[in-house]
Amino acid sequence: MSTRQTAIRLPTETYDRLKQLAERTGRTTAYYIREAIEEHLEDMEDVYLAEQTLERVRRGEEDVIDAEEFWRDMED
């Protein structure tokens, strides 16, 4: 697996908590940052992409079918 490096800014309180956790567990702060991102990235993608789709629906740019039609099509 290839990796890329990035930089982030954290509020002091968040960074202090992260640093304390890393020190207490013998892991790096980078480890916990990576874990948090990997754990929540899929959920964030789902939320933000769903919000974009909802906006397209509201603007009439997406086709929408009702539940009855959906389930009827699933039976075919």
Side-chain angles (χ1 to χ4, degrees):
M1 172 176 96
S2 64
T3 62
R4 303 281 178 164
Q5 186 172 347
T6 189
I8 62 169
R9 294 185 186 275
L10 296 172
T12 301
E13 180 182 332
T14 302
Y15 178 77
D16 290 344
R17 289 175 58 199
L18 180 62
K19 184 106 171 124
Q20 188 175 52
L21 175 63
E23 289 171 357
R24 287 181 171 177
T25 61
R27 295 195 182 264
T28 64
T29 55
Y31 170 83
Y32 287 110
I33 292 168
R34 187 172 41 254
E35 285 291 303
I37 291 170
E38 289 176 359
E39 177 72 24
H40 298 285
L41 184 57
E42 186 174 350
D43 292 339
M44 291 178 8
E45 289 170 333
D46 290 345
V47 167
Y48 290 111
L49 293 175
E51 287 174 351
Q52 288 177 347
T53 302
L54 179 58
E55 286 304 312
R56 288 194 307 273
V57 167
R58 287 179 176 155
R59 292 191 304 260
E61 298 169 357
E62 287 284 331
D63 292 331
V64 178
I65 61 172
D66 64 32
E68 287 180 21
E69 183 179 349
F70 172 82
W71 289 112
R72 188 173 46 250
D73 290 348
M74 294 298 289
E75 292 174 354
D76 294 339

